[in-house]
Amino acid sequence: MKRVQMFLAGAFIAVGSLYAQSSDAEWQAGVAKLKEIIQTNPAQANEEAEQLIKGKNKKNVELLTAIGEAYLQADKLSEAQMYAALAKKANGKSALASVLEGDIAAKQKNAGLASQKYEEAIYFDSRCTPAYLKYADIYKSANAGLAIEKLNQLKTLEPSNTGIDKKLAEIYYLKNDFSKAADAYSRFATANEEDLVKYAFALFLNHDFAKSLEVANMGLKKNPRHAAFNRLAMYNNTDLKRFEEALKAADVFFNECDKADYSYLDYMYYGHLLDALKRYDEAVGQYEKAIQLDPTKTDLYKNISTAYEQKNDYKKAISAYQKYYASLDKEKQTPDLQFQFGRLYYGAGTQPDSLAITVEERKQALMSADSTFHA
């Protein structure tokens, strides 16, 4: 008899479990259908939602909040608020309901109320992971310290959750703490190109050029025409003085990459690379492109001046240096910069005979050097 009772009890448990699973799957399918028609047929969507919460599902907080989130994603705030209220009525201490309320407040750009609701969710359920992550999203720009503190609290509860490291990496990156950003990126498996790009840039900006190049090369294996990975390959190889490799990356970056959007830094690095290879005229061309994109980068006129000096074109070297000097505020036009003028004038006056400069111009250059050195 006992065996029969045990068998029946086990059967009821199994049936009950299967029924619950079937019930969950049923309403989840209903919510999925709801999402598809919310925008195209709101009346039918409303009817479907009402059917879903009939009977035993009236107090199903998970279902109520799922419907509320579906309406919120469709930008239907009044309906989302209604289902948040129903979820709260069903269970006043539901973390899920508080998260939904926080999401609604965030959509309304009410950061204070949103963070309050996420804190409330954490109070009701200390392991409510979405509440921690969403709280961090609220504060990642306005108060990175608060966001990091909240994520570290979650990290102590879920040390193996690499999603936390990913969020920490994002925040450290935003606040220009590239050392900690790179460390956080290294702790999770980078699943997509965007993560790899940010990881490689964080390493580059932290001056870890070898590791940055390693990560960029990982990205290039997946996508050889990716602009950011080729950009970083050019940058890092240039800084590592691997000029031939840098030149190959530059060629792909400027001529073969998909969706490349060039910045002054790209042309500046290419200029540095060509300068190192003693291709001075080409280097000048790249420096000039950089200045065209960002006219505030007048320091590059010094690089242009040096490139011309390397090929003994002192007239152009002096002209470029004059542009650099003139761009400075008066208090920054220091004696050592004046000395550089004198050095260039002296170089022009003592260079061998050439078509680039006449005897009279050499004399004038030496006179200018003398007056500069005695100023």
Side-chain angles (χ1 to χ4, degrees), residues 24-37:
D24 283 353
E26 189 177 317
W27 71 251
Q28 285 165 1
V31 172
K33 181 182 177 183
L34 182 70
K35 289 177 181 178
E36 293 175 2
I37 61 172

Side-chain angles (χ1 to χ4, degrees), residues 41-177:
N41 195 336
Q44 186 184 344
N46 182 55
E47 189 178 326
E48 292 281 349
E50 288 179 355
Q51 287 297 321
L52 282 170
I53 63 170
K54 278 188 174 180
K56 64 183 184 305
N57 279 333
K58 267 187 178 178
K59 294 189 177 182
N60 185 334
V61 174
E62 190 177 356
L63 169 58
L64 291 165
T65 54
I67 294 172
E69 287 287 355
Y71 274 113
L72 183 61
Q73 288 169 18
D75 288 326
K76 294 185 177 294
L77 266 65
S78 60
E79 288 88 343
Q81 287 169 325
M82 181 181 75
Y83 282 97
L86 288 173
K88 206 74 172 178
K89 184 178 178 182
N91 183 354
K93 294 183 179 181
S94 165
L96 289 175
S98 295
V99 167
L100 176 56
E101 288 178 322
D103 291 348
I104 293 168
K107 183 75 101 173
Q108 294 170 321
K109 302 191 184 304
N110 188 340
L113 179 59
S115 61
Q116 179 187 325
K117 288 298 178 180
Y118 296 141
E119 285 272 34
E120 183 178 88
I122 292 166
Y123 177 77
F124 292 145
D125 179 4
S126 63
R127 291 184 176 273
C128 183
T129 302
Y132 287 93
L133 297 176
K134 291 179 179 190
Y135 181 97
D137 271 331
I138 289 287
Y139 282 109
K140 66 183 178 184
S141 297
N143 191 331
L146 275 179
I148 291 165
E149 180 185 348
K150 192 61 67 179
L151 289 171
N152 283 331
Q153 288 173 13
L154 180 60
K155 187 71 176 171
T156 61
L157 297 171
E158 300 179 19
S160 61
N161 185 340
T162 56
I164 303 167
D165 293 311
K166 182 171 182 175
K167 186 66 68 177
L168 281 167
E170 179 187 342
I171 295 168
Y172 283 127
Y173 192 92
L174 281 172
K175 68 191 293 280
N176 295 334
D177 192 339

